[in-house]
Amino acid sequence: MKKFLLLTCVSVLMLVACNPNKNKKAGFKLPEIADIAMYQVNPRVFAADHSLNAVAARIDSIRALGVNVMWVMPIYPIGVEKGKNSPYCIRDYKAIAPEFGTIDEFKNLVKVCHDHQMGIILDWVANHTAWDHPWVKDHPDWYTHDEKTDTIIHPRPWEWYDVADLNYDNQEMRKAMIDAMLFWVVECGVDGFRCDVADGVPADFWKEAIDQLRKAAGDRRIVMLAEGKHVDNFTTGGFDMNYGWDYKDSLVNVFNKGYSAENLIAADKAEYDSLPVGKVKLRFTTNHDHSTEITPVKEFTNERGSMAAYVASVFPHGGALIYGSQEVGFENPINFFHYVPVDWTAHANLYKEYQHLIGLYNDFPALRKAQPVYYPNHDILMFEKTDDAASFLVAVNVRNKEAEMALPEAWHGTTAINMETSETVQLNDPLRLQPFEYKILKKN
């Protein structure tokens, strides 16, 4: 009996020692959802191999942007059968591809992030697996089958022929999926997940998974981001954030197709009117999918257009995202199926501009959390954001030509601080903006 008790005590001590939840840097706490500024890591722009170490080596530069959560794209072993070298074609949910590094190197990245007061979330692909995932052979009933041929199918309606569609009617598969997610939270200390094709997976599964993840995390906060736009991501699934896809589409229409800036007001209202209180839309000018086709400095005409679009994207309601590479103005499309080297020393002025904007976003809660009051105009997106501490007027010229607009009555004739220059300015009608110029003004 004494021997049993001794072994039990030793086992408990070992679990405590190995549990990353117990060994986190003192004082680290994941930000509240409304306070998150996220940075997306595509490991394949950091290094050709052992890229997790390369990301860790750049942590100071990443953190200095002001971001406080790192989202890492899939790092799991990649399927070969019918494969295209996509990181979203997963052969093993509990391992890391040698291309990216080792499990110990990933745990080190988690530690490095936490030491720098950053959360870290993993990309999770629950909709499908690689064709050479062991489940295909061992549990074919865990997959969706064609009714006529009784063969496993790829996800429909997409033409993703490199992956096999999972069957969420199968309860055993659900358990295995949740078990794999728990591994990364419990054993590696991640702070949540960005869930790929979330709208393609039943919301009741997400509810089940997220409940178990939060229970396993204990007093740790985790963040769950859905790559989707369905309201049941929140009402049923339990997610904290999902994608502002429609707002991004409106950005492109306004900046590139001459639509009125009032379309952005309508898009913002449409996305947030259906959003439960406390939930957030992720807002962006690019991500790994979009930059595969075109990068912000090209999509929004030029560098100035890209920055005007960014201000118009993240300041109305928060939910800021920076895709690793946009902060240095990388111009060419990035095919995330392959290694694409990025010069992290390029366009230092652009890096400083993103740093300044996210700094304002962090320093002034009104800019990320206060409800926007809009002043409609065809060529300028103008809105006011006010809380008990400060009042701001944000104006963005969405055109590659000069534009002007009457000031709101409450701002006419007042003085304000131009947050880009720190200068005090006298405000008189009309407000004139250069091509793609933006102003963030703080009332004195």
Side-chain angles (χ1 to χ4, degrees):
M1 183 66 178
K2 290 180 179 179
K3 182 178 180 181
F4 171 77
L5 289 173
L6 178 61
L7 287 172
T8 301
C9 291
V10 170
S11 298
V12 169
L13 289 171
M14 288 178 67
L15 283 172
V16 170
C18 296
N19 187 346
N21 298 345
K22 300 295 184 182
N23 287 331
K24 284 193 168 188
K25 183 178 177 66
F28 171 76
K29 187 175 182 180
L30 193 73
E32 296 281 353
I33 303 306
D35 296 331
I36 286 176
M38 194 174 293
Y39 185 87
Q40 182 185 0
V41 165
N42 170 8
R44 284 175 165 167
V45 302
F46 284 84
D49 59 73
H50 289 274
S51 50
L52 294 175
N53 285 343
V55 176
R58 287 204 55 78
I59 193 68
D60 289 334
S61 177
I62 294 170
R63 184 68 178 98
L65 281 167
V67 294
N68 50 32
V69 172
M70 178 187 291
W71 149 26
V72 182
M73 287 172 62
I75 53 176
Y76 321 99
I78 296 169
V80 175
E81 184 180 345
K82 303 183 185 181
K84 300 177 181 178
N85 204 33
S86 168
Y88 291 88
C89 178
I90 294 170
R91 187 164 43 87
D92 185 345
Y93 283 114
K94 290 186 178 182
I96 291 178
E99 168 193 351
F100 302 122
T102 67
I103 193 73
D104 286 338
E105 288 169 350
F106 178 72
K107 288 181 178 179
N108 177 64
L109 179 58
V110 173
K111 180 181 184 302
V112 166
C113 283
H114 290 161
D115 285 349
H116 286 75
Q117 299 300 300
M118 287 183 67
I120 179 169
I121 66 174
L122 267 179
D123 220 319
W124 195 257
V125 187
N127 185 71
H128 48 263
T129 74
W131 289 97
D132 46 1
H133 192 294
W135 289 356
V136 173
K137 182 180 291 185
D138 298 342
H139 304 284
D141 56 321
W142 290 9
Y143 292 84
T144 308
H145 286 239
D146 183 273
E147 293 182 0
K148 294 182 180 178
T149 64
D150 197 31
T151 55
I152 297 173
I153 63 173
H154 71 273
R156 309 282 173 78
W158 305 288
E159 296 181 353
W160 300 340
Y161 299 114
D162 59 330
V163 290
D165 191 60
L166 285 164
N167 172 21
Y168 274 84
D169 290 334
N170 190 294
Q171 298 302 311
E172 292 304 311
M173 187 278 291
R174 288 183 174 220
K175 292 177 182 177
M177 184 65 71
I178 294 172
D179 175 71
M181 298 178 80
L182 286 167
F183 169 80
W184 297 98
V185 170
V186 175
E187 299 299 326
C188 298
V190 302
D191 302 294
F193 296 95
R194 175 267 186 188
C195 297
D196 188 64
V197 198
D199 290 345
V201 174
D204 69 298
F205 166 76
W206 292 125
K207 168 66 173 171
E208 182 181 2
I210 291 171
D211 282 351
Q212 291 194 42
L213 292 170
R214 295 199 194 284
K215 182 178 180 181
D219 59 359
R220 290 171 49 204
R221 182 183 297 133
I222 64 171
V223 59
M224 298 297 296
L225 164 63
E227 187 206 19
K229 60 180 185 179
H230 292 172
V231 70
D232 67 3
N233 295 154
F234 303 117
T235 56
T236 302
F239 281 98
D240 303 296
M241 307 174 73
N242 74 357
Y243 271 44
W245 285 123
D246 293 339
Y247 194 84
K248 170 62 195 296
D249 290 343
S250 290
L251 274 177
V252 173
N253 287 337
V254 169
F255 275 79
N256 294 348
K257 300 178 182 179
Y259 285 38
S260 171
E262 294 179 35
N263 281 267
L264 292 172
I265 300 174
D268 181 59
K269 178 176 171 57
E271 287 192 338
Y272 269 86
D273 276 357
S274 62
L275 213 62
V277 174
K279 306 299 184 179
V280 174
K281 284 281 183 180
L282 186 72
R283 291 275 173 82
F284 46 84
T285 53
T286 193
N287 54 43
H288 65 284
D289 285 317
H290 288 173
S291 279
T292 298
E293 300 175 359
I294 190 169
T295 57
V297 292
K298 295 291 187 181
E299 184 167 31
F300 297 103
T301 305
N302 54 32
E303 184 179 291
R304 298 321 312 150
S306 74
M307 298 311 298
Y310 193 75
V311 171
S313 177
V314 306
F315 283 106
H317 263 112
L321 174 71
I322 294 177
Y323 174 54
S325 69
Q326 79 177 89
E327 75 269 31
V328 292
F330 195 81
E331 294 185 359
N332 298 323
I334 295 175
N335 184 340
F336 63 85
F337 287 48
H338 304 284
Y339 170 57
V340 178
V342 166
D343 180 2
W344 298 104
T345 65
H347 300 286
N349 60 316
L350 201 63
Y351 174 94
K352 290 179 180 178
E353 188 170 359
Y354 276 108
Q355 184 182 48
H356 178 71
L357 290 172
I358 297 299
L360 295 176
Y361 180 97
N362 291 331
D363 290 345
F364 298 99
L367 284 174
R368 64 183 185 273
K369 294 195 284 192
Q371 290 299 308
V373 176
Y374 287 107
Y375 299 95
N377 183 270
H378 188 270
D379 297 322
I380 294 175
L381 177 69
M382 182 182 286
F383 53 93
E384 188 175 6
K385 303 200 75 177
T386 300
D387 64 10
D388 292 339
S391 182
F392 292 89
L393 186 69
V394 180
V396 182
N397 183 359
V398 302
R399 309 293 178 218
N400 193 21
K401 60 182 181 181
E402 291 185 11
E404 63 179 43
M405 178 179 176
L407 287 162
E409 183 176 348
W411 287 78
H412 186 268
T414 65
T415 59
I417 300 172
N418 182 332
M419 302 304 289
E420 295 306 297
T421 64
S422 298
E423 296 176 339
T424 298
V425 294
Q426 179 76 32
L427 300 181
N428 295 298
D429 271 342
L431 179 67
R432 292 188 176 89
L433 298 176
Q434 296 302 305
F436 291 138
E437 184 182 8
Y438 62 83
K439 288 187 182 294
I440 301 173
L441 303 168
K442 180 176 179 287
K443 185 175 285 188
N444 273 336

